[in-house]
Amino acid sequence: MPQQQSPAVSVIMPVLNEERHLRNSVRHILEQEYAGEMEVVIALGPSTDRTDEIAAELVAEDARVHTVPNPTGRTPAALNAAIKASRHPIVVRVDGHGMLSPNYIATAVRLLEETGAANVGGIMHAEGENAWEDAVAAAMTSKIGVGNAAFHTGGQAGPAETVYLGVFRREALEQQGGYNEEFIRAQDWELNFRIREAGGQIWFSPELRVQYRPRPSIKALAKQYKDYGKWRHVVARYHAGSINLRYLAPPTAVCAIAAGLVIGAAVTPWGLVVPAGYLAAITAGSVPAGKGLSLKARAQIPVALATMHMAWGAGFLTSPRSLAKKVIASRRPAVLTPAADAE
C-alpha cells in the first residue's frame, strides 16, 4: 500500500513587540521534523521595536513565510487575519515567544487523526533565560501557582475544556467563524467552548510541548496576570458554570491580606497573622519549585508567586461588569455540524 501523505499545515502567529524571540520561534517551526507541506503566516501588530524588520528578513529568507497586517494589535484579530490568509487543512497556533519541540507538528497531526478531535494541545513549558525568568517559570509550573491547569503542570492525555495554543482542523475554525475578537484575553477558552458546544472534542496530550519565555520583569508579569484575572472574571460572567474554587483563591487571598493589614495597623497586631501566614506559605511552597535552580532564582520565586497571585486576584476583583456585558452582547452561538444537528 502507498504511504499516506502528511496533510499540509498552516502555522499562524500573532506578533507584537517580539524582536527578542521572533526569529528563534520561526526557526523552531521551519526546522520541524514533518514530512508535509508547511507555511507560516505572521500577523504583524503595530510594534514599536524591530519586530517588523525581523519579519521582513524572515520572509526574504524563506518562501514559506508570509506576513499579514493586524493594525488593531489585538491577538484574536491577528489570529483571524492569519487564518484568513492561510490555506492548509491543519492550522497550528504559535505565539511569537513560543518554541515548538522538534516533533510537535507531526505529533499533533497524529493525535488529531487518532482521537478525531477538533483541536489538540499540550504543555506550556515555561523556561527562562536568566534568574528572574527561571523564577517565573518555576512559579508558573508550581502547584501553588495560578490555575494549576494540566497545560501548566502536566497530566494524563484526555478530553479538556481548553488547551494551550492549539492545533486545529481548519473546518472546525471556519465552522465557528474563528475567534471572537471581543475577547482580548481568554479567546482560546471561548473558541474551545463553542467547539465543544457544537459537539467537537478538545484533546490535551503531554506529548505536545511548547517552550514558553516568561515575562522579563515584575511590572510585565503583574500586567500579564492582572489581565488574566480581569478576563477570567469576564469568562465567569459569560459562562457561569466555568468558575471553580481554584479561580477564587487569588481574589480571596487579596481580600484577606488587605483586611489583615488594615486590622493589623488599626485594631490589633493579630491581624498581621494573615499576610504573615501567606508569606510563609509561598516561601515554603517555593522550595520544591526551585529544585535545581540557582540561589538567585530560588530567592525570587516567592516574589514571582506573590506578583502572580496578587495581580490575578486584583484583576478579577476590579474586572468591570460593563466589559462582561459588552462581551456577552457579542456572544456567538456554537454552529453545529450537520451530524450533531441531526441528533
Side-chain angles (χ1 to χ4, degrees):
M1 281 182 68
Q3 188 173 5
Q4 187 176 3
Q5 189 174 3
S6 299
V9 166
S10 296
V11 181
I12 59 171
M13 301 182 71
V15 168
L16 180 69
N17 293 326
E18 290 287 1
E19 68 172 2
R20 185 178 169 197
H21 300 301
L22 180 58
R23 176 170 288 278
N24 199 23
S25 182
V26 172
R27 179 180 64 81
H28 278 76
I29 297 166
L30 297 177
E31 293 179 357
Q32 283 288 296
E33 298 170 1
Y34 185 66
E37 185 181 350
M38 185 191 306
E39 66 175 350
V40 181
V41 182
I42 304 172
L44 294 170
S47 295
T48 56
D49 60 10
R50 293 184 61 253
T51 295
D52 287 11
E53 182 182 335
I54 294 167
E57 292 170 358
L58 291 166
V59 170
E61 292 164 9
D62 197 304
R64 293 174 291 177
V65 182
H66 315 280
T67 60
V68 63
N70 172 37
T72 70
R74 293 182 170 189
T75 298
L79 291 166
N80 284 342
I83 292 167
K84 186 176 179 180
S86 66
R87 55 196 173 91
H88 294 320
I90 305 297
V91 179
V92 181
R93 177 184 170 177
V94 181
D95 285 342
H97 45 271
M99 315 294 161
L100 300 185
S101 52
N103 62 348
Y104 180 89
I105 292 176
T107 302
V109 170
R110 172 177 60 80
L111 288 170
L112 283 173
E113 179 64 28
E114 289 177 355
T115 64
N119 179 22
V120 299
I123 292 176
M124 178 183 181
H125 180 61
E127 189 172 289
E129 295 181 327
N130 54 48
W132 165 251
E133 291 179 2
D134 285 342
V136 176
M140 290 178 70
T141 55
S142 167
K143 294 290 186 182
I144 61 170
V146 174
N148 196 26
F151 64 77
H152 282 308
T153 59
Q156 296 295 316
E161 284 191 357
T162 191
V163 289
Y164 179 55
L165 300 178
V167 178
F168 298 83
R169 299 179 189 273
R170 177 177 291 277
E171 62 261 30
L173 288 173
E174 292 181 344
Q175 179 188 343
Q176 299 305 325
Y179 291 84
N180 184 333
E181 295 185 14
E182 293 296 335
F183 274 81
I184 308 305
R185 294 285 185 273
Q187 65 275 157
D188 298 293
W189 180 91
E190 193 277 337
L191 174 59
N192 286 321
F193 174 69
R194 279 185 284 133
I195 290 173
R196 288 187 290 107
E197 272 198 326
Q201 186 177 70
I202 312 301
W203 188 267
F204 167 80
S205 173
E207 291 184 74
L208 298 172
R209 293 171 71 87
V210 180
Q211 202 175 77
Y212 169 88
R213 296 290 186 245
R215 294 298 192 270
S217 67
I218 292 177
K219 182 179 178 180
L221 183 68
K223 182 182 184 307
Q224 178 188 20
Y225 274 81
K226 185 176 181 181
D227 285 346
Y228 284 169
K230 178 173 76 173
W231 281 91
R232 195 63 188 77
H233 204 163
V234 171
V235 167
R237 286 166 169 158
Y238 181 92
H239 177 47
S242 70
I243 200 66
N244 58 43
L245 290 177
R246 76 169 182 259
Y247 291 125
L248 296 177
T252 300
V254 169
C255 292
I257 290 169
L261 290 172
V262 170
I263 292 170
V267 182
T268 171
W270 283 106
L272 299 177
V273 168
V274 175
Y278 171 76
L279 290 174
I282 62 171
T283 300
S286 70
V287 174
K291 188 176 180 180
L293 297 182
S294 68
L295 181 60
K296 186 176 181 180
R298 294 201 301 269
Q300 295 182 85
I301 294 174
V303 178
L305 284 168
T307 301
M308 290 160 58
H309 292 161
M310 297 298 103
W312 202 101
F316 189 94
L317 291 168
T318 59
S319 181
R321 188 174 293 274
S322 59
L323 179 59
K325 287 181 178 178
K326 180 182 178 184
V327 166
I328 290 168
S330 74
R331 186 191 298 268
R332 298 181 184 177
V335 179
L336 301 180
T337 63
D341 204 22
E343 293 173 5

